[in-house]
Amino acid sequence: MPKLEVDGAVLVYDDEGPRDGVGVPLVFIHGWTANRHRWDDQFAHFSAERRVVRLDLRGHGESTGAGARTIDELARDVVALLDHLEVERFVPVGHSMGGMIAQTLTLAHPERVERMVLVDSISRMTYSWARGLLLAVSTLLPFKLFVAVNIQRAFAPGYPKDKIRQYIDASAATPREVVMTCYGAMRAFDVLDRVHEITAATLIVHGYHDIQLPLSQMLRMANAYPDAVVRIVDAGHELPVEKPAELTTLIGKFVAGPTTA
């Protein structure tokens, strides 16, 4: 299990697949309270033909370190890992908060990003007055209940309850300080006025039933991108595990094609 020390954190990562495989490496970036295993299905599929990298973000999964207060900090961790691995050009694939990280590093290093995939993510956190109040109140709940409420609502209706419980337990194992600081980082995230600068072809995949990051917000983001393909899937916010095969197929077609999925 390889590790890298970066700014007081020890990042656990996987780096597999043929170095001379098809295309540039894919870099999978997980979301808030999750870990690199959210990408198990996609990682196993693509590592058969090309180099793939994934990591546990600081404080998540098996990685150590305090929570990041900005998305920029998390993006710098990813870039530090890629520099360490001598990965110069790549395709970031980010889910939720991971998509925020992908957009941030693409804006900072456009010359290194061949194309980008955003899964259930947005460019600006926007809340109605009522939803903002609900979220603010939810932070006052006992920590495990706060996590359970947020993870429970991330899945589309009908997803197996026993599997949801497993994800709730895994997320609740993330240190409270990490969960809450990253929560604040997401709420402050806003690059909507800059995404027009991203010229790399972008695939945006979103769950129709996503109430964590609503479809309307994603469409507002997609409209600002100069070169984006949008695919809507019958799922909730946790597309990598709710519809793994469908997501893998969409990513595969996109990274293999010239500009469309």
Side-chain angles (χ1 to χ4, degrees):
M1 183 174 59
K3 302 177 182 180
L4 177 69
E5 186 171 350
V6 178
D7 293 336
V10 176
L11 305 179
V12 173
Y13 65 91
D14 298 313
D15 177 13
E16 298 181 10
R19 298 301 185 264
D20 58 350
V22 177
V24 301
L26 302 182
V27 179
F28 291 95
I29 311 169
H30 69 75
W32 178 64
T33 78
N35 58 56
R36 68 191 194 280
H37 293 292
R38 272 296 200 281
W39 299 109
D40 278 352
D41 289 272
Q42 295 75 32
F43 195 83
H45 174 84
F46 289 109
S47 62
E49 61 182 19
R50 66 165 73 210
R51 187 178 186 183
V52 288
V53 177
R54 63 179 178 178
L55 76 157
D56 284 340
L57 297 169
R58 62 171 54 230
H60 291 72
E62 297 177 272
S63 291
T64 67
R69 297 190 177 278
T70 67
I71 298 299
D72 291 72
E73 293 176 46
L74 295 170
R76 287 195 292 270
D77 283 349
V78 176
V79 172
L81 173 61
L82 297 177
D83 287 346
H84 171 72
L85 298 176
E86 299 182 342
V87 172
E88 182 58 31
R89 196 161 171 81
F90 58 95
V91 175
V93 183
H95 172 241
S96 191
M97 185 176 76
M100 299 177 187
I101 296 168
Q103 293 174 84
T104 300
L105 62 85
T106 299
L107 285 166
H109 305 279
E111 75 287 351
R112 298 181 67 171
V113 175
E114 181 171 285
R115 52 186 59 204
M116 178 171 62
V117 180
L118 304 178
V119 182
D120 288 313
S121 194
I122 55 175
S123 296
R124 173 186 290 167
M125 295 292 283
T126 305
Y127 305 108
S128 66
W129 179 87
R131 187 164 182 252
L133 178 61
L134 179 63
L135 288 169
V137 170
S138 73
T139 63
L140 303 177
L141 297 172
F143 176 63
K144 289 188 176 181
L145 181 57
F146 168 76
V147 171
V149 168
N150 278 278
I151 302 303
Q152 175 72 46
R153 68 199 299 270
F155 292 86
Y159 194 76
K161 292 183 178 180
D162 58 330
K163 290 186 177 180
I164 295 177
R165 171 51 59 187
Q166 292 175 14
Y167 290 118
I168 289 174
D169 291 343
S171 292
T174 309
R176 179 188 179 97
E177 182 271 340
V178 172
V179 171
M180 301 312 294
T181 52
C182 287
Y183 181 73
M186 288 191 297
R187 294 195 65 180
F189 179 71
D190 184 357
V191 296
L192 185 60
D193 293 335
R194 292 194 60 201
V195 296
H196 68 275
E197 301 172 23
I198 298 177
T199 57
T202 301
L203 171 65
I204 300 172
V205 189
H206 215 84
Y208 179 80
H209 303 284
D210 188 346
I211 60 174
Q212 297 283 65
L213 303 180
L215 190 61
S216 60
Q217 292 188 31
M218 180 279 289
L219 292 173
R220 184 182 183 189
M221 171 186 75
N223 189 55
Y225 267 85
D227 187 6
V229 173
V230 176
R231 294 291 182 264
I232 309 300
V233 178
D234 184 16
H237 182 69
E238 293 290 347
L239 253 171
V241 294
E242 288 185 68
K243 293 294 179 70
E246 190 168 347
L247 177 59
T248 298
T249 297
L250 288 171
I251 294 172
K253 289 181 178 179
F254 178 72
V255 297
T259 57
T260 60

